[in-house]
Amino acid sequence: MTATQPGSGFRTSTKATSAQKRAPWILLAPFLALFVLTFIIPIISALFQSFTTVDREGLFGEDGVTGRFAGFDNYVTALNDAGFVGSIWRMLLFGIVQVPVMIVLCTILALLLESASARWPAFFRAVYFMPYGVPGVIATILWSFLYVPGLSPIVSLLQSMGLQPDFLGANSVLWSIANIVTWTYTGYNMLIIVAQLKSIPGEVYEAAKMDGANAFQVAWRIQIPLIAPALVLTTVFSIIGTLQLFAEPQILSTVAPAIDTEYTPNYAAYTNAFAFNEYGVASAQAVIIALAAFILSFAFLALTNRAPKNERDQRKRAKRDGLEARRALQTRGTSATGSRPATGVANRSTTTGAAPRLQADSKGAEA
């Protein structure tokens, strides 16, 4: 069965139309298959395992292994683990310090590279982005040589000046990890901000120059407000990445005794899963980490998407005025409804009584 389109000599069949409808799904099929296999199924598996536990008979389970439904026991065990809860608070402290420092640094680099007086911006963009291309394990190994006394030229230089730095001590190793993370991801976040800066129309800069704005005023009053979406995006990515910190502390634990197997939430889940074979507890910890990342990201987005104070005040005033106006209309309508019958009677009586008086007055005038 074919149908001829008016005004053309082409015929479109029903089969061709259905094939066109199937074409997008066929093209998306490889992505959807990988997405389901690598994202959806692991999440469902982790949720399922977080509510189950394994009972082993014998010292190593050689007499049998049975699984059973555990309810929320794994979550209770995870939250009662002082090391795991302490690692979450440690990562919150890490994020409060490291994330703002990195965002400020990558913003400054992006503004400098996109300034009119910047020289060789493409070269320096590649140089700043290069650390992101180094795998996290390799980057941590490289930085460990700069932290270990006797191997680090930085430590030797500071010791020659009379200082005794301890980059791997209990009070400083967290910030040594923060330094590695900042070095790795600043260039990546910088490119996101640079892409947002390039989308600003040139007419905006020309208008600012005509108004006499200097470079600092252009950056503070024009560029930074316009790149706010990129700043929010990079901050959310950094918040999520903070709770997922794993490779850096695991590699540094070989040279830093202050790093234990529960130094970060991800490290604690990894230890329970592959060192103690507590897959249910590890899955519960992974779910808690995901929920914490979601709550923090949602709270940050809600905070940044709030309207300015003057707009919120205007909305409150408009809402209050609207309520008062509705109440006044309701009150006026109620009073008008209640007075109509009396008013009608008074008018009728007044009109009825006025007619004889007018007639009497007219007769008296004629007499």
Side-chain angles (χ1 to χ4, degrees):
M1 179 179 180
T2 59
T4 305
Q5 295 181 355
S8 65
F10 297 99
R11 292 171 177 258
T12 59
S13 63
T14 306
K15 291 184 177 180
T17 304
S18 61
Q20 292 175 356
K21 293 180 179 179
R22 291 194 305 268
W25 295 105
I26 295 174
L27 295 174
L28 286 173
F31 165 76
L32 293 176
L34 290 174
F35 181 75
V36 171
L37 290 174
T38 62
F39 189 78
I40 302 298
I41 292 179
I43 290 177
I44 295 175
S45 176
L47 286 172
F48 175 76
Q49 285 189 347
S50 67
F51 293 102
T52 61
T53 188
V54 175
D55 295 328
R56 297 177 177 84
E57 298 180 4
L59 184 60
F60 300 104
E62 64 275 5
D63 295 333
V65 177
T66 58
R68 62 179 177 84
F69 180 74
F72 290 94
D73 292 344
N74 292 325
Y75 290 91
V76 173
T77 302
L79 294 176
N80 286 333
D81 187 354
F84 176 71
V85 176
S87 67
I88 293 179
W89 288 111
R90 186 180 296 111
M91 287 301 98
L92 289 178
L93 175 62
F94 179 93
I96 291 173
V97 177
Q98 187 269 336
V99 172
V101 170
M102 182 176 62
I103 297 301
V104 170
L105 182 59
C106 66
T107 303
I108 292 174
L109 290 177
L111 292 174
L112 291 176
L113 289 176
E114 289 303 307
S115 63
S117 59
R119 295 185 179 181
W120 306 323
F123 171 76
F124 284 105
R125 277 199 301 267
V127 170
Y128 296 146
F129 180 75
M130 195 177 297
Y132 181 74
V134 180
V137 174
I138 304 300
T140 307
I141 294 174
L142 292 175
W143 276 99
S144 66
F145 288 112
L146 300 177
Y147 291 152
V148 176
L151 296 176
S152 171
I154 298 176
V155 174
S156 300
L157 177 62
L158 294 176
Q159 287 177 348
S160 65
M161 299 170 59
L163 302 176
Q164 297 297 328
D166 187 9
F167 295 118
L168 302 177
N171 296 326
S172 57
V173 68
L174 182 65
W175 311 120
S176 298
I177 296 174
N179 175 61
I180 299 174
V181 174
T182 304
W183 178 81
T184 302
Y185 291 99
T186 297
Y188 171 79
N189 294 323
M190 178 201 68
L191 285 186
I192 296 177
I193 298 173
V194 166
Q196 186 76 49
L197 285 172
K198 288 185 177 297
S199 66
I200 300 176
E203 293 81 1
V204 176
Y205 296 113
E206 294 178 1
K209 290 180 180 179
M210 293 179 63
D211 291 339
N214 55 32
F216 177 79
Q217 291 173 334
V218 169
W220 182 254
R221 298 182 179 275
I222 296 176
Q223 291 178 314
I224 291 179
L226 292 178
I227 63 174
L231 296 177
V232 172
L233 178 65
T234 54
T235 304
V236 170
F237 284 170
S238 301
I239 292 172
I240 296 173
T242 297
L243 290 173
Q244 295 178 349
L245 196 63
F246 173 73
E248 291 80 2
Q250 186 194 31
I251 300 302
L252 282 182
S253 64
T254 58
V255 295
I259 299 178
D260 56 9
T261 56
E262 292 183 329
Y263 196 76
T264 65
N266 251 359
Y267 201 178
Y270 172 85
T271 302
N272 282 319
F274 299 105
F276 304 133
N277 292 328
E278 295 289 346
Y279 295 104
V281 177
S283 298
Q285 290 175 337
V287 173
I288 292 173
I289 294 169
L291 289 176
F294 171 78
I295 292 172
L296 291 174
S297 302
F298 182 81
F300 176 77
L301 290 174
L303 181 64
T304 54
N305 290 333
R306 290 183 64 189
K309 187 177 184 302
N310 56 351
E311 293 185 10
R312 296 199 303 270
D313 294 339
Q314 290 177 359
R315 292 176 184 175
K316 290 180 181 179
R317 285 195 297 269
K319 186 176 181 180
R320 185 172 60 252
D321 295 341
L323 290 174
E324 293 177 355
R326 282 196 293 270
R327 290 173 183 172
L329 289 174
Q330 291 175 357
T331 305
R332 187 181 304 171
T334 304
S335 61
T337 305
S339 61
R340 278 171 189 165
T343 304
V345 173
N347 290 337
R348 284 197 299 270
S349 62
T350 302
T351 305
T352 306
R357 286 182 193 146
L358 291 174
Q359 291 175 0
D361 290 343
S362 61
K363 290 179 180 178
E366 291 174 357

